[in-house]
Structures are given as C-alpha cells and as structure tokens.
Amino acid sequence: MDYYKVDYHIHTVYSDGKATPTEIIKKAAELEYDRIAITDHDNVNGLEEARIAAEALNMTVIPGIEIAVETEEKIGLHMLGYEIDPKNPELQDFLSRLIKNREERNEQLFEVLRQQGFDISVEDVEVGRNSFIGKPLIVRALLRKGLIKSEKEGFGPAALGSKACRSVKKAKPKAREAIEIIEAAGGIPVLAHPIQTRGIGRPGSEEFFENIEKIIRKLKTQGLKGLECYHPDQNEEQSSRFVEIAGKYHLHITRGSDFHGSDFAKAEKTADYR
C-alpha cells in the first residue's frame, strides 16, 4: 500500500495562524509533503496566494476552509471543506454572514474583558491579512500588552476562559447548512477533530464514542463525506476508533495537524496511520 505525507488542516495569517500560505508551502515542499490543505477559519482569502505559491513550487495544495457549526441539538462542531471553489457565490454570501456574526461576538467579548479589568480594545489586536479577529489573536494582544504572562493564561479562567467570556457566543450556522454550502461550492465536507466535541461525555469514554457516532451517523445523512481521524488531540487508540467509525459509515479518513504557528516544520504530530 502506498502512503502519502499529507496535512489537511493548516491555518495561516488570513485567520489565526502566524505564517503566510507561501511560507507554509515553501516549508512543506522542503519537508517533502505530497499534499497539504489550507483551511483558514470562516474565509477563503488566503487561497489565491496559496495557489500561486503551489504552482511555483510544484506542490499539491488543496483549497479548503474550516467553519464552526452546531447541530440541531446545539452541540458545537467544526466542519472542514476541501476542494472548494472560493469564488462560488453561495459560499461568498455565507461567509459574509459569518464575518458579521464574528464582529458582533467580538464587540461583546471586548466589553466583558474590559469589565474584568483588561484594558484592551479591537485597536490593540494585530489582525490577520483580511481583518480576521479570533480568540487566539485577542490572547496575543493581551500578552503583547503585558496583561497576561502566557497564552495559556489568556485562555484561562481569569481571562477568555472566565464564565462571563464563555457566555459570549458567536452565532453559528447549523451543520447541515455548512455541509450544503461546501457541496454547493464543489467541496467535500469533513468533520474536524471529533475528540474536541463537548457535552456528549468525557472525551474518549465509551459514552463519548456512543454519542459521537450518533452525531456522525446523522451528519452522514446530511451529506458528510469525511472524518478527521488523525489529529494531535487524538491518541492512537482514539484515532483507531474514529477510523472504525469512518469505515462503518463509508467516510473519507483525513489527517491534520491543525497548525497555527510560524514554522511549519514544528507542526504537531498525530498518531501513526493504520
């Protein structure tokens, strides 16, 4: 059996990553990756730069996206879309709505942080290439201003992990709608890092796997085509369980590092392939 060196989950400066698409693709070529996917949050603005760099370096780069969604039961998930047409009108209209939802959430979030004693505003954040502001960028702004000592503290209970901050929710599209939009754009919808799903039991427990399988089974009826079985947060045993579920429901098996850093050579490893 032939194996390929791949990474289908990578973020850039066009959302909350620290490297440009060009920098990532150059490093991936040096590391002899067969193919990678750029999957920025809620936008496709980095895909043209990625396309140009991929052509110059003779790399296979899949145009992708990652979208935060929820089920009808309000269970939060992340949906990856691969091989999408970034110029698709339905996709563009959908993404415009996501941008508005994020801006409304951020306004509330900055107000809560100020109430908690953090002197910070949107002007303090170094935004991505397309003015994207996600929580990691807010944490970096807090760190840069000396208001916290580490990024871990920024996501902790005294800052973004506080009950007040966690209560500020971004309006999310339903999983079914995101799947339909990805398919309308010619793409392949894949459920990202299933182990991160909350509210369905302790991650990795039998209760968790029973419930995540129910969710995946329903998503399959809605058009889901793949499952991210290999992710740094999923150990070997958990990855194997997800592979079994993917096989049971005839879903594509994908691997992704969920890279957000500046040096792609340091992308986190996943469990071994089976």
Side-chain angles (χ1 to χ4, degrees):
M1 182 181 294
D2 292 330
Y3 288 89
Y4 296 94
K5 189 174 183 179
V6 304
D7 190 332
Y8 290 153
H9 194 158
I10 300 172
H11 299 281
T12 78
V13 293
Y14 284 89
S15 61
D16 55 354
K18 297 179 180 179
T20 67
T22 301
E23 290 169 338
I24 289 168
I25 292 165
K26 282 183 177 179
K27 184 62 69 173
E30 291 174 10
L31 296 172
E32 299 184 330
Y33 274 78
D34 293 292
R35 59 190 65 181
I36 64 171
I38 299 299
T39 55
D40 277 311
H41 295 285
D42 297 350
N43 83 87
V44 294
N45 297 332
L47 296 185
E48 179 62 12
E49 179 183 336
R51 183 191 66 78
I52 293 170
E55 288 183 358
L57 294 165
N58 196 30
M59 271 285 296
T60 299
V61 178
I62 297 167
I65 193 169
E66 183 175 14
I67 304 168
V69 301
E70 64 181 15
T71 66
E72 285 81 358
E73 296 77 25
K74 301 292 186 180
I75 300 296
L77 304 169
H78 280 207
M79 194 66 61
L80 293 159
Y82 300 117
E83 299 287 8
I84 56 173
D85 172 9
K87 297 180 181 179
N88 177 269
E90 289 182 65
L91 176 63
Q92 287 294 329
D93 289 345
F94 176 75
L95 295 182
S96 294
R97 174 154 57 89
L98 297 189
I99 291 171
K100 183 178 179 181
N101 292 347
R102 184 178 292 276
E103 290 174 346
E104 291 174 350
R105 187 281 306 269
N106 286 343
E107 287 179 10
Q108 298 176 51
L109 198 54
F110 281 117
E111 180 59 31
V112 171
L113 285 170
R114 286 191 290 269
Q115 291 173 3
Q116 293 179 172
F118 294 101
D119 180 20
I120 190 167
S121 68
V122 65
E123 288 76 19
D124 296 311
V125 180
E126 292 184 354
V127 299
R129 287 283 181 91
N130 59 307
S131 300
F132 174 98
I133 297 181
K135 289 183 178 179
L137 272 69
I138 296 173
V139 168
R140 292 171 203 165
L142 291 169
L143 185 60
R144 194 164 49 250
K145 293 193 70 175
L147 300 175
I148 56 174
K149 296 180 179 179
S150 67
E151 290 192 5
K152 182 178 180 180
E153 181 183 346
F155 286 107
L160 288 179
S162 68
K163 184 176 181 181
C165 283
R166 286 187 287 107
S167 69
V168 178
K169 302 294 185 182
K170 178 181 65 176
K172 297 178 182 178
K174 292 293 185 284
R176 179 195 294 272
E177 181 185 9
I179 288 172
E180 290 174 350
I181 291 294
I182 290 169
E183 291 188 317
I188 302 168
V190 173
L191 180 63
H193 41 60
I195 200 68
Q196 292 184 9
T197 309
R198 297 293 177 259
I200 60 171
R202 178 176 57 82
S205 66
E206 285 305 313
E207 178 189 14
F208 173 88
F209 276 107
E210 287 177 8
N211 287 323
I212 195 65
E213 182 171 348
K214 290 178 183 177
I215 291 171
I216 292 168
R217 182 167 62 244
K218 185 173 182 179
L219 292 175
K220 169 70 177 182
T221 68
Q222 297 173 351
L224 185 72
K225 295 295 190 296
L227 185 64
E228 189 174 49
C229 296
Y230 294 96
H231 182 277
D233 287 353
Q234 296 164 183
N235 62 32
E236 186 172 342
E237 180 182 354
Q238 293 162 354
S239 293
S240 295
R241 290 290 294 270
F242 289 127
V243 168
E244 290 176 7
I245 294 172
K248 184 175 180 179
Y249 296 101
H250 307 288
L251 298 170
H252 295 296
I253 295 168
T254 71
R255 171 200 178 269
S257 66
D258 207 353
F259 180 70
H260 286 76
S262 57
D263 183 356
F264 185 59
K266 297 179 181 179
E268 288 190 70
K269 305 299 182 182
T270 69
D272 290 335
Y273 301 109
R274 291 297 181 91

